[in-house]
Amino acid sequence: MSGLTPPGPPLPEPVPESVPGAAPEWSWTPPPAVPPGMPPAFPGGEAGDEDRNAAVRDGLTTLSVVVAWFAVAAFLGALVWWQVTPLAEYTRTRDNASMDEEQLAKQFGADGWFFVIAAVGGLVSGLVLGLLRRRNPILLVLLLGAGGALATFLMVQFGLMLGPNDPSTMFASTPVGGKVPLQLKVDAHGIWFLWPITALVGGIIALWITEARETSRLQHAAAYGYPGPAHAVQNQR
């Protein structure tokens, strides 16, 4: 019994020899890189969050640009409207006020000039904003309609501020034979929709110009053998 050797620790299991040229079973192959312009493999990953944040920032920037643009355009339009519109005037009588035929003809001047300024301003606004902020066409169309409505409201308010006061508040202090001008305001409420309509028309024209340029560029590239975006993504795969 004294000659027996006590049992030692268990020996480790033999490791199988690797076959030359063969990859081990536990090896991990990394996923292929996402080509530029393709959505990320994991929508909830970091790349997807960055894309959403960029889209939100771009939308907020577009909103700020549109609001600021139409506010300034409405103020400038009101200044022009105030300068070019001949306002009709009442003549103070002993017990009332009257207006002759010449002054009656001027009553439509405010509506006519508002129509011209709103048509030109809305069309130019839609064209410029459509060419500058064309990344999200649906958002742009919605903002152009809302911006045109904002410009109408602001231009009417600026016109009331720049023009004369309410004639009813001036008759008492006006002597007989004196003139009391009308306020600078819109009587035909149908032209209130002109700013939004012309802004949408200008935006649609701008989007059509952008699409036509992009189509022409792709056709030119295809004619000279340059790979388009679809070929580039396919080659990267």
Side-chain angles (χ1 to χ4, degrees):
M1 298 295 292
S2 61
L4 295 178
T5 304
L11 297 176
E13 296 182 0
V15 180
E17 298 181 358
S18 59
V19 181
E25 296 181 357
W26 48 265
S27 62
W28 175 78
T29 303
V34 179
M38 297 293 292
F42 302 99
E46 183 178 355
D49 294 339
E50 292 179 357
D51 292 340
R52 283 192 295 269
N53 294 335
V56 171
R57 287 194 300 267
D58 184 72
L60 293 176
T61 302
T62 302
L63 175 62
S64 302
V65 170
V66 170
V67 171
W69 175 279
F70 277 105
V72 174
F75 179 72
L76 295 178
L79 284 177
V80 176
W81 189 31
W82 173 48
Q83 291 294 325
V84 301
T85 302
L87 295 176
E89 296 177 329
Y90 285 107
T91 300
R92 181 75 165 89
T93 61
R94 188 173 299 275
D95 56 354
N96 204 341
S98 63
M99 186 179 293
D100 56 20
E101 294 182 358
E102 181 183 357
Q103 300 303 318
L104 287 173
K106 292 182 180 180
Q107 281 187 311
F108 303 99
D111 290 346
W113 280 110
F114 186 94
F115 182 93
V116 173
I117 295 170
V120 175
L123 189 63
V124 172
S125 299
L127 278 171
V128 174
L129 293 173
L131 293 175
L132 293 178
R133 311 299 302 178
R134 59 181 183 272
R135 297 180 182 178
N136 193 335
I138 298 177
L139 177 62
L140 179 63
V141 169
L142 295 176
L143 291 179
L144 286 178
L150 175 64
T152 301
F153 174 78
L154 292 178
M155 185 172 172
V156 170
Q157 298 303 316
F158 288 145
L160 292 174
M161 293 171 57
L162 295 171
N165 296 326
D166 189 353
S168 61
T169 63
M170 302 172 62
F171 283 139
S173 59
T174 302
V176 176
K179 302 293 185 180
V180 178
L182 294 178
Q183 285 184 291
L184 182 60
K185 62 180 182 178
V186 178
D187 293 326
H189 298 292
I191 62 177
W192 282 47
F193 301 97
L194 197 60
W195 266 100
I197 292 174
T198 53
L200 289 174
V201 172
I204 293 173
I205 294 175
L207 294 177
W208 176 78
I209 293 174
T210 302
E211 185 68 21
R213 287 179 178 177
E214 184 66 18
T215 302
S216 177
R217 186 184 67 82
L218 293 177
Q219 291 177 352
H220 181 77
Y224 286 89
Y226 298 123
H231 296 84
V233 173
Q234 184 177 3
N235 293 333
Q236 289 176 0
R237 293 180 181 177

